[in-house]
Amino acid sequence: ETGVTQTPRHLVMGMTNKKSLKCEQHLGHNAMYWYKQSAKKPLELMFVYNFKEQTENNSVPSRFSPECPNSSHLFLHLHTLQPEDSALYLCASSQGDRGPVEPLHFGNGTRLTVT
Amino acid sequence: EDQVTQSPEALRLQEGESSSLNCSYTVSGLRGLFWYRQDPGKGPEFLFTLYSAGEEKEKERLKATLTKKESFLHITAPKPEDSATYLCAVQAYNNNDMRFGAGTRLTVKP
């Protein structure tokens, strides 16, 4: 399998549930990202991991908890979410910031609905 | 603060009707400007990177250009399969974040 794979594609959860989103990249990249995409809004960067170390945390509420066990896998653990957290959550990867600027490679996202 | 504004928000074209999408940006030290295409239910797909004013890149019916304040994505003789949302993003030298615009939703009617 190639590229960036996200599972599940769709997730419906109640406000008291705990769930996790999974991302796997097969591109040999060293940096992985979580973005949130809401309707008619720009993509919002949530977390960045570079060589397995978290380098960005853009004031994301603690109900979102990232985990990066290795350079190929990234998780987003969710608990006690709010309805306004419903969105498309996108995972992306890149070579990392130790080289020339280069594009992000995105997965197809997890469509999250919080009821 | 870095800002990216895309216009128009939505654009409807007839097949073969050429047009341009605009991306205006404010950034302290541009490291790169990126164009992506996003189809419904999918993640953004990389199209181009532009690094300096005056640079142009082409791919099939698409051509991206860059000035010091904005970028244009020119679509020549579009086809229905070009229908998608086109996203612009900038990366500055002073941070790791790629700042995105809200996108232009393009619809090409046969």
Side-chain angles (χ1 to χ4, degrees), chain B residues 12-23:
Chain B
R12 296 171 68 91
L13 300 173
Q14 286 297 125
E15 184 172 2
E17 179 186 2
S18 301
S19 188
S20 297
L21 312 182
N22 178 263
C23 171

Side-chain angles (χ1 to χ4, degrees), chain A residues 86-100:
Chain A
S86 299
L88 181 68
Y89 288 85
L90 290 163
C91 173
S93 70
S94 69
Q95 286 288 350
D97 67 351
R98 300 187 184 187

Side-chain angles (χ1 to χ4, degrees), chain B residues 25-36:
Chain B
Y25 66 91
T26 304
V27 64
S28 52
L30 180 69
R31 194 175 181 202
L33 184 142
F34 302 82
W35 281 98
Y36 292 85

Side-chain angles (χ1 to χ4, degrees), chain A residues 39-55:
Chain A
K40 298 190 177 182
K41 286 187 176 181
L43 271 69
E44 300 172 49
L45 179 66
M46 300 176 72
F47 301 104
V48 181
Y49 279 83
N50 221 328
F51 292 86
K52 298 191 297 178
E53 291 185 13
Q54 185 174 312
T55 57

Side-chain angles (χ1 to χ4, degrees), chain B residues 1-5 24-27 90 99-100:
Chain B
E1 183 179 308
D2 301 340
Q3 283 195 322
V4 180
T5 304
S24 297
Y25 66 91
T26 304
V27 64
V90 297
R99 181 78 56 151
F100 281 84

